[in-house]
Amino acid sequence: METISRISSMLETARELTLEAAQSAALNRGSGVGVSSRNLTAAHIKKLLESRSDREVLDGMRRVLTLMYRGEPSLPFFSAVVKNVASANFEVKKLVYIYLVHHAEAEPDLALLSINAIQKSLTDQNPHARALALRTMSGIRVPVISQIVSLAIKRGCGDMSPHVRKAAALAIPKCYRLDPNTLPQLIGYITILLGDTQYFVLGPAVAAFLEVCPDRIDLIHKHYRTLVKKLVDMDEWSQLATLRLLTFYARQCFPRRTKKVKRATENKGFYEDDDHGDDLTEDNEADQEEVLILDPDLELFLRSCLLLLQNRNSAVIVSVVRCFLHLGTSEYLQAAVGPLIALLRSPQDLQHVALYNLVVVALRHPKAFTKYATHFLIHAIDPPHIWRLKLEVLTIIFPHCGRHLKGVILSELQHFSQSTEPELVRESVRAIGRCALADTGAAPYCLRILLSQITSQDDNLVSESLTVIRHLIQQDPPSHAKTVIQLVKHLGLTNNPDARATIIWLVGEFAGTEPERDFAPDVLRILVQDFANEAEPVKQQIILLGAKVYLHHLLRNPLKEESEPQTQASTATEDAIPNEWADSQNEEKPETNGQEEQHSEPEEDQITLLWRYILLLARYDSSYDLRDRARLYKNLLASPSMTQLANLLLLAPKPVPHAPSPSETRKDLLIGSSTLVIGPDAGMLGLKGYENLPDWVEAGQEPDPRLRESEVKSDPMGQTSMTAGERLDQALKEHEQNASASKRAQAGRPAASSSKGKSLDEWLEEPEAETEEETDSEEEVTDSEYETDEEETEEEETDEEDEDEYEEEEEETDSEDQAQAQGLLAR
């Protein structure tokens, strides 16, 4: 009978395999489920769903899901699908669960009909079926069943299978979103799951904690060390959640402590002739430095994070770097820089995100990246969003690099500043300027590079170079007098309006600071000759230059200008009769001052006449803006009483330009977050869900460290953290100690001493009965000896020689026992 039943089952299996093979072959020919389901009517699909054959029901469910994922109407089959929720076939049940989760919100009343069947699956013998039922029940977004879901989670938290407990942990956030009133119950479930012994249950429990009750740090105290120890074994997503939780926990529970220690240098330097150490001993403050003190539990967490730097997930590496940046010391951060640099070999999307995080770390600790400077050189295939960030990193680490690396970086920037891509040219020139501003020692070389690019045919390169040169000159104007003269020499070689306007502005701003080197009037005289053919930006700067030159002239000759206020006013209104006004003024002056006037009139007349000529040119220009500017300057400089006001407006010191790193505004954002990548476009508060790290807890306000030792104190033998081998070794040691104590107690009896002299072969040759009798007698002796333990102890204390003999016999007995055990194992 067994043979017949076995043959029939084999035939049934072969029939099913044949049918499945036929279906797969039809699918390959284009007439399978994917195509035939379009031709089948709804009635035929319902007929398949209502069939008693599991194979037909499975076929019908596949067709329904095909329609669902195509976006075609599959809701009419809801009632037929719900009937199969209690199917014994696990494959059918999985497809029904998928359908229910997708359509439960559209048909909540019909979805409730399946709750009873799903609840029955929570008691299934298959743990995967129980986990799937729990996941499905929590995924059905019907608020009425929130309490039923909560009870299902409670049952799942106590399940023997870790897969079911994991499903319960994943269901907690869903239940909370479904009904926030279940929060007290869910917190209790989270407390249970946080104490789970399985690492893949702890990860989802931590994720549920972060979403449901992230402010309940008190729940983490007794599980802190367990989470740290099992962090390495978790999957990547659980590691991300746990790293985030423990980072927040560390800021709220471990205060930031420092202590002052002596510096590494002692009274004498490394060489005997180094006397710098003597100076340090004189100043106690200079002889000390602050060193960060890490809490032992915090250091345990940081050491466990070191193992995660070899993780295959880039998000885990960035999270570890975040922990070291905000919690650890520079030594930990140094260890994390290499794995962070390794992310630059990832695809471009991951490389882009890694560079944003890398820039933020470099802004705080640039020295750690100096030995990796060559990894940030631009490649020909790099897109703009990649090479922009690489250029930024190069400019950040430039001041901390050696002389050779500085030359390499500047050579690369000079090369790419001559590129055909305008954006790359602009960013490269700006990067050279930031390098010059960050490192004053390299500023002259950077300035020479920029000056050599003024004569380029690329107008974009010239204008950008002049803008950067202007920023460098404004940093220290007195030391760049020759630079301005060199720019004036290039004024006739460039036709770019922006470049010419920049050079003219520099001449007017810095040429008149030293009267003996004032070449601005000569430059103005040359520029006025071709005023009509200049572009409007250049004309505006020429008028401004003329106003500044004339103002300098008024400030140098204040007394002579005071006697002719009416003359200046009449000149402003009547430009047609300057000679008649001059003759009348000369007649009124005494003759004794004629020689002084002849001596000073030529220089004053030249500048004054040049200023009037510029005003006449601007008066008849076609630009309204230019005419208004000229009229403003003319009225401002017409009266001596307005000289001080003109000085404040025209010759006021300009603020020194500051060119920070483009990512300076993202410096305080949390690395590893989406808000960091999006930047200021995310708004002041960042994206939804963004939360910055809390401040360090103040010393004295942190929780009691003994709260984290509760789990350890509960096991006095320390076996919770021992492996199976360590426990066996400990049990063996305890057995040997007990055996040695019993042997020591019966060492004084002759029967015991005679038995100790036997070898292993003699022990094995003895009959079993004798062995049993001896064993019983030994037990009796041992019992009697325990009763007289105190008396023998006193005898041992009085007789030290006997004690030495007992110890020798004890060692011999232990060796005999070990040899006997090895012989038994060999047999």
Side-chain angles (χ1 to χ4, degrees), residues 430-629:
R430 291 177 181 176
I432 294 175
R434 289 199 298 271
C435 291
L437 293 175
D439 188 3
T440 56
Y445 182 67
C446 297
L447 190 60
R448 286 197 298 270
I449 293 175
L450 295 172
L451 289 174
S452 64
Q453 295 174 345
I454 295 177
T455 58
S456 175
Q457 299 297 324
D458 187 359
D459 294 340
N460 183 29
L461 174 60
V462 173
S463 61
E464 201 63 41
S465 299
L466 283 171
T467 302
V468 176
I469 291 172
R470 177 172 62 84
H471 292 169
L472 295 179
I473 293 175
Q474 287 183 261
Q475 300 294 324
D476 188 13
S479 62
H480 290 89
K482 295 182 179 179
T483 305
V484 178
I485 296 174
Q486 190 173 356
L487 290 174
V488 172
K489 294 179 180 179
H490 290 86
L491 191 59
L493 302 177
T494 178
N495 296 322
N496 188 0
D498 295 333
R500 292 176 65 84
T502 301
I503 295 174
I504 296 170
W505 184 88
L506 288 172
V507 172
E509 190 68 22
F510 304 109
T513 55
E514 298 181 5
E516 62 275 6
R517 297 181 180 180
D518 190 5
F519 54 87
D522 294 332
V523 176
L524 180 62
R525 177 177 55 82
I526 296 172
L527 292 172
V528 168
Q529 296 176 5
D530 198 23
F531 181 85
N533 298 326
E534 297 286 357
E536 185 173 351
V538 181
K539 291 180 180 180
Q540 293 176 0
Q541 294 301 325
I542 291 174
I543 295 176
L544 180 60
L545 176 60
K548 290 179 180 180
V549 169
Y550 185 60
L551 180 59
H552 281 297
H553 171 69
L554 294 178
L555 294 175
R556 291 171 192 166
N557 303 279
L559 297 176
K560 296 180 181 180
E561 293 295 335
E562 288 177 359
S563 61
E564 25 183 335
Q566 298 178 356
T567 305
Q568 296 291 342
S570 61
T571 304
T573 55
E574 299 177 3
D575 293 331
I577 51 173
N579 294 330
E580 297 178 1
W581 167 80
D583 294 340
S584 62
Q585 290 295 109
N586 291 331
E587 291 178 358
E588 294 177 359
K589 290 182 180 180
E591 296 180 358
T592 56
N593 296 334
Q595 295 179 355
E596 296 180 359
E597 290 177 2
Q598 291 177 1
H599 185 354
S600 59
E601 274 181 2
E603 184 179 357
E604 294 178 358
D605 289 343
Q606 288 179 1
I607 296 177
T608 304
L609 291 174
L610 185 60
W611 171 240
R612 292 175 185 173
Y613 181 66
I614 293 173
L615 293 177
L616 286 173
L617 292 175
R619 181 177 181 180
Y620 297 103
D621 195 86
S622 59
S623 174
Y624 290 97
D625 185 25
L626 200 64
R627 295 200 299 267
D628 292 341
R629 288 172 182 265

Side-chain angles (χ1 to χ4, degrees), residues 279-309:
D279 298 333
L280 291 177
T281 56
E282 296 176 359
D283 191 1
N284 294 330
E285 295 182 358
D287 193 30
Q288 295 181 350
E289 61 179 355
E290 287 190 353
V291 177
L292 187 64
I293 302 176
L294 295 179
D295 189 274
D297 285 332
L298 177 58
E299 195 166 2
L300 175 67
F301 170 51
L302 295 177
R303 285 200 305 268
S304 65
C305 290
L306 287 173
L307 302 175
L308 300 180
L309 292 175

Side-chain angles (χ1 to χ4, degrees), residues 153-159 165 169 172 185-197 201-202 205 219 222-223:
I153 295 173
K154 181 179 180 181
R155 179 184 299 225
C157 292
D159 198 282
R165 298 198 297 272
I172 288 175
Q185 305 170 16
L186 299 180
I187 291 177
Y189 305 153
I190 290 175
T191 305
I192 296 173
L193 293 173
L194 285 174
D196 201 285
T197 57
V201 178
L202 284 177
L219 301 178
K222 59 182 178 180
H223 307 298

Side-chain angles (χ1 to χ4, degrees), residues 217-501:
I217 297 295
D218 57 308
L219 301 178
I220 308 297
H221 294 317
K222 59 182 178 180
H223 307 298
Y224 172 80
R225 295 178 182 175
T226 305
L227 291 173
V228 170
K229 292 177 181 178
K230 295 186 178 181
L231 179 62
V232 181
D233 299 327
M234 297 180 183
D235 60 279
E236 289 88 349
W237 304 112
S238 299
Q239 286 172 350
L240 290 175
T242 307
L243 286 172
R244 180 177 176 83
L245 171 63
L246 295 181
T247 304
F248 279 76
Y249 180 87
R251 295 291 288 257
Q252 298 178 8
C253 298
F254 303 129
R256 199 73 164 172
R257 293 189 176 96
T258 57
K259 68 176 181 179
K260 290 185 177 181
V261 297
K262 291 184 178 181
R263 295 183 184 273
T265 56
E266 298 180 355
N267 294 337
K268 291 186 178 181
F270 184 81
Y271 299 100
E272 294 180 357
D273 57 348
D274 187 3
D275 296 330
H276 184 64
D278 297 336
D279 298 333
L280 291 177
T281 56
E282 296 176 359
D283 191 1
N284 294 330
E285 295 182 358
D287 193 30
Q288 295 181 350
E289 61 179 355
E290 287 190 353
V291 177
L292 187 64
I293 302 176
L294 295 179
D295 189 274
D297 285 332
L298 177 58
E299 195 166 2
L300 175 67
F301 170 51
L302 295 177
R303 285 200 305 268
S304 65
C305 290
L306 287 173
L307 302 175
L308 300 180
L309 292 175
Q310 308 299 326
N311 200 291
R312 61 183 178 181
N313 194 325
S314 58
V316 175
I317 295 176
V318 173
S319 297
V320 173
V321 175
R322 178 179 61 197
C323 295
F324 291 163
L325 179 65
H326 297 288
L327 302 178
T329 59
S330 58
E331 290 79 8
Y332 285 102
L333 189 62
Q334 287 280 354
V337 170
L340 187 60
I341 296 293
L343 297 180
L344 297 179
R345 295 192 292 267
S346 305
Q348 288 184 357
D349 51 350
L350 295 179
Q351 187 179 357
H352 185 210
V353 176
L355 278 171
Y356 271 116
N357 293 277
L358 198 147
V359 167
V360 174
V361 180
L363 284 171
R364 299 189 178 189
H365 301 276
K367 290 184 180 179
F369 296 89
T370 52
K371 60 181 179 180
Y372 302 103
T374 55
H375 290 75
F376 302 105
L377 298 179
I378 301 175
H379 300 158
I381 60 174
D382 287 340
H385 61 274
I386 297 295
W387 56 250
R388 279 195 184 92
L389 294 172
K390 285 187 175 182
L391 287 178
E392 185 175 358
V393 177
L394 288 176
T395 56
I396 292 172
I397 67 176
F398 179 81
H400 307 278
C401 293
R403 190 170 183 178
H404 172 68
L405 284 178
K406 287 181 180 179
V408 171
I409 292 173
L410 290 178
S411 299
E412 287 290 319
L413 295 178
Q414 184 180 6
H415 171 72
F416 286 107
S417 65
Q418 299 173 358
S419 174
T420 57
E421 188 176 353
E423 286 292 330
L424 182 57
V425 172
R426 187 180 298 109
E427 293 297 331
S428 299
V429 174
R430 291 177 181 176
I432 294 175
R434 289 199 298 271
C435 291
L437 293 175
D439 188 3
T440 56
Y445 182 67
C446 297
L447 190 60
R448 286 197 298 270
I449 293 175
L450 295 172
L451 289 174
S452 64
Q453 295 174 345
I454 295 177
T455 58
S456 175
Q457 299 297 324
D458 187 359
D459 294 340
N460 183 29
L461 174 60
V462 173
S463 61
E464 201 63 41
S465 299
L466 283 171
T467 302
V468 176
I469 291 172
R470 177 172 62 84
H471 292 169
L472 295 179
I473 293 175
Q474 287 183 261
Q475 300 294 324
D476 188 13
S479 62
H480 290 89
K482 295 182 179 179
T483 305
V484 178
I485 296 174
Q486 190 173 356
L487 290 174
V488 172
K489 294 179 180 179
H490 290 86
L491 191 59
L493 302 177
T494 178
N495 296 322
N496 188 0
D498 295 333
R500 292 176 65 84

